[in-house]
Amino acid sequence: ASGRWVAMNLLVDQFLLLPLALAFAEEHEGGTLWQQWRQRATSIVRQPMVIAVFLGALFAVWQPTLPAWFDRALALAAQASVPLGLVVIGASLPAKPPAADWHDSLLVSTVKLLVHPTLVLLFAALIPGVSPEERSAALLFAAMPMFSVYGAIGARYGEGAMTSLATLVATVVAFVTVQGWLILAIAV
């Protein structure tokens, strides 16, 4: 049952929230509201991250048989993705972040680690028929720090240092906050 919540969460994140967030991040001037949204939609469809999400979903549904050499190459790339993500985050962290980056990073981390799980817990309590296990799964999924791709998205919009710092801060602080949410999940 909890796996269903995780799957729904990932589907909503990847197919709805990510494209919407990227659409709002895009800046387009001039023209009617319809023209601006068309420009945003065109820009979103061309972004590599969105293309990768939809191609991944297509491959998951289609399940093609890949040549062995290509399958091995993909497996190797998958194994390298986490270490490379950590290198990118580390490389984008400035040696001495400006005070504004610290302030913004702490704000983002607080919202992600405290406000987001609280809202998820409240909304899960309002939905009829949600079991305690499902509510706990949703709560713990929301309590995790942001994905490492957050820094790459921020870099695209000139906020790479702040978003990488926020990822670092949230990851370190999550060692404490996730424990608190685990205790609450068990008690609820």
Side-chain angles (χ1 to χ4, degrees), residues 25-39:
E26 292 291 322
E27 292 183 24
H28 295 285
E29 297 178 12
T32 65
L33 185 62
W34 171 250
Q35 290 171 331
Q36 289 178 9
W37 275 102
R38 193 177 75 225
Q39 289 173 345

Side-chain angles (χ1 to χ4, degrees), residues 89 92-94 150-166:
I89 289 173
S92 61
L93 286 171
Y150 181 67
I153 294 171
R156 177 178 169 84
Y157 299 102
E159 295 291 339
M162 189 282 292
T163 53
S164 292
L165 184 59

Side-chain angles (χ1 to χ4, degrees), residues 51-140:
I51 293 169
V53 166
F54 283 99
L55 283 177
L58 180 67
F59 270 70
V61 170
W62 180 31
Q63 296 185 348
T65 304
L66 299 174
W69 63 269
F70 191 71
D71 196 38
R72 281 193 307 274
L74 282 178
L76 186 62
Q79 291 173 347
S81 65
V82 171
L84 284 176
L86 293 173
V87 168
V88 168
I89 289 173
S92 61
L93 286 171
K96 185 176 178 190
D101 281 353
W102 276 107
H103 177 267
D104 292 346
S105 298
L106 290 172
L107 178 64
V108 168
S109 299
T110 300
V111 169
K112 176 63 182 109
L113 297 176
L114 299 176
V115 176
H116 182 216
T118 302
L119 291 174
V120 166
L121 186 61
L122 290 173
F123 282 114
L126 295 174
I127 299 172
V130 176
S131 72
E133 293 82 14
E134 292 171 331
R135 188 171 42 248
S136 294
L139 171 64
L140 292 176

